[in-house]
Amino acid sequence: MSVQARPPSRGMTDLAASGFVAPTYLMTTVPAFLRSVTDRMLADGMLIQDIRAAETLQDWSEWGAFWIGRAEFHEGLAKVATARSRTITASQHLVHGSLCAHYAQFLYFDFPEVKQRAVELKARLYALAAPMLANPAIAVEIHWENGLLPGYLGLPRGQGPFSAVVLIGGLDAAKEDAQQFSDLCIARGVATLAFDGPGQGEAFYRGHTFSAAFSRSISAAIDLLQGRPEIDPGRIGVLGRSLGGFLAPQAAALDPRVKACVAWGALYDLGSFDRKPPLIQEGYRFITGAADLAEAKERTRFVDLDGYAERITCPLYVVHGMKDNSVPPENAERLAREAKGAVSLRLVPDSIHCNHDVAHIIRPEMADWLAETLR
């Protein structure tokens, strides 16, 4: 039985046919952008075959429709596998489809309806995969202030209680993107909790924009972990990627229950907001719900570890690429210098933002450090 890629959803097709003009923040060509994110895509678990298929794209109006088509293609393969009771194969196709849907919405800050449809598809496909994964992902809801934040709990095999790490994503990231690193932790006996915080994934569409309240959502995630019998309440860490490289250290400073912290692409502050690439600036405008860049800059002034870094007393692992063109390595060096606990600073020569180009080396190292520190 053959399965072919389906036509893209109507919203994506309409965008491509409606005289689409690429926003000014998309200052690069599609082929150049694809080359720049290929390391990240592969590190997060995308298939090289999907990426190669995208090499035919030339115009930004095609981007979202293409990746929606790939997501639906993988969903079709998953349905065939499910009909044959091949649940592991089905789950793998659904995860690949979810990642494709993630990149369908990636960068579409000026097209919120299109972005929302792709986020919903990403979440739906991963939710179908979650119980069938080799390491099943348990859907949870984190009680936080005036609402619920969706997340997934991953547990190692065997008898607990286990140590655990809260996985905190970055700008335009979501819980579904954490699958690859979650598996690395689980294989080392560390449970994981990935969730959508304010401004991320499904939480954004529940009305939770990015704000200083994010720190309290991390504490709420720790509350959930401490209420689970499978988790050792005294062995909980946090890991933050990119923007999470601010959020995780801040959580370590504010919540004494954090016993280990990884800043994966450390972000000390946003003092350089005006010098950030236009794409990054637009991302902050979107997740804060700001009307313009000036308002976004004002709403993100709290992103600053001054006064927090010195309060970090738990073990801290800081990893950063020396060729990070998004967040200069001085951010990592300052964080490591000011923290008061045991600090390991890993500056990787010739490496990019979040070390996606050497993910096969850095990601296992971070998982090893967490397992050993929380042992």
Side-chain angles (χ1 to χ4, degrees), residues 76-93:
L77 291 173
K79 288 181 177 178
V80 172
T82 300
R84 297 173 177 174
S85 299
R86 298 171 178 172
T87 55
I88 293 177
T89 298
S91 70
Q92 292 171 341
H93 283 303

Side-chain angles (χ1 to χ4, degrees), residues 23 26 29 34-36 57 76-77 106 123 132-133 148 169 184 210 228 250 278 280 283 322 332 346 355:
L26 294 176
T29 65
L34 183 64
R35 288 192 296 272
S36 73
L57 300 177
L77 291 173
F106 197 58
M132 297 188 291
L133 294 169
L148 298 172
L184 291 176
F210 181 65
R228 300 281 307 202
Q250 184 193 44
I280 302 299
M322 291 298 287
R346 178 84 152 92
N355 314 104

